Amino acid sequence: MNQINYLLNNNPINDKVSAMENSKLHYYHSGALLVVFQTDNLDSIKTDLINISNNLGKVYQINNAKQYSMVINQIFEEIDKHISNPDLTLKWLAQEKIFMNKDYLGKQFKKETGQTFTEYLMQYRMNRAMELITQTNKLQISDVAEKIGFKNNPAYFSRAFKKFTGLTPLTYQKKIRKWKC
């Protein structure tokens, strides 16, 4: 039990989630791990660990969003709202949503995030594609491509997905389905 307490207290995520009090975070970790340790079924353990990971990721994302300026947070919100728009670009956001100079926004985005807008958008789209493929078996790869802004070019989506994950979307989908069974 001392090792578990050590791991919980010295977990690097504690440094990242400053908005949550350490006692609340410790309580969350302890409760989540207790559920996992009390479970006999391997599938339940997998599900519990995935849920724990997702919840901690959400806390991390919420707290990380606070470190960016208002305009960069607005860009993140607009990307999330308009992810299916194939015309989603920094230029489009600057002209239609944020009403600021595109070059200034691009420099500010790179300065604060360490990535160009295009790199971030591609990463966001690929992560969203993996989520969609993982969450449902009913979506075709072309539907996933459309939902993340590759409506006009599913072949390009497949190439980008393979470059990002090392697998084609179909292979990724098959592996996920096999894992879920």
Side-chain angles (χ1 to χ4, degrees), residues 52-148:
I52 291 167
S53 174
N54 287 340
N55 289 335
L56 288 174
K58 287 176 186 172
V59 169
Y60 177 77
Q61 185 179 20
I62 288 166
N63 287 306
N64 255 359
K66 294 177 183 175
Q67 76 183 10
Y68 298 115
S69 66
M70 224 165 68
V71 71
I72 300 304
N73 282 327
Q74 186 179 358
I75 290 173
F76 292 151
E77 289 173 20
E78 294 298 335
I79 289 171
D80 192 49
K81 284 181 198 172
H82 301 283
I83 192 69
S84 63
N85 180 354
D87 298 321
L88 178 60
T89 62
L90 187 60
K91 181 179 179 181
W92 181 82
L93 281 175
Q95 290 175 345
E96 302 295 324
K97 299 294 178 181
I98 309 220
F99 309 109
M100 292 179 77
N101 180 283
K102 173 186 95 66
D103 294 330
Y104 171 78
L105 279 178
K107 288 176 185 173
Q108 193 65 26
F109 192 90
K110 173 80 173 176
K111 180 181 173 186
E112 290 189 38
T113 66
Q115 292 179 291
T116 65
F117 175 82
T118 306
E119 290 168 341
Y120 177 83
L121 180 61
M122 184 60 77
Q123 180 181 1
Y124 187 87
R125 282 181 161 156
M126 293 302 110
N127 286 331
R128 184 71 182 122
M130 290 188 314
E131 253 180 63
L132 290 169
I133 291 169
T134 302
Q135 288 175 353
T136 181
N137 291 332
K138 296 176 183 169
L139 284 179
Q140 297 292 319
I141 299 303
S142 59
D143 296 333
V144 172
E146 185 175 336
K147 286 185 178 289
I148 63 162

Side-chain angles (χ1 to χ4, degrees), residues 147-163:
K147 286 185 178 289
I148 63 162
F150 288 86
K151 178 181 180 180
N152 302 332
N153 202 343
Y156 176 60
F157 163 68
S158 291
R159 286 192 306 273
F161 190 89
K162 184 171 184 174
K163 184 177 179 182

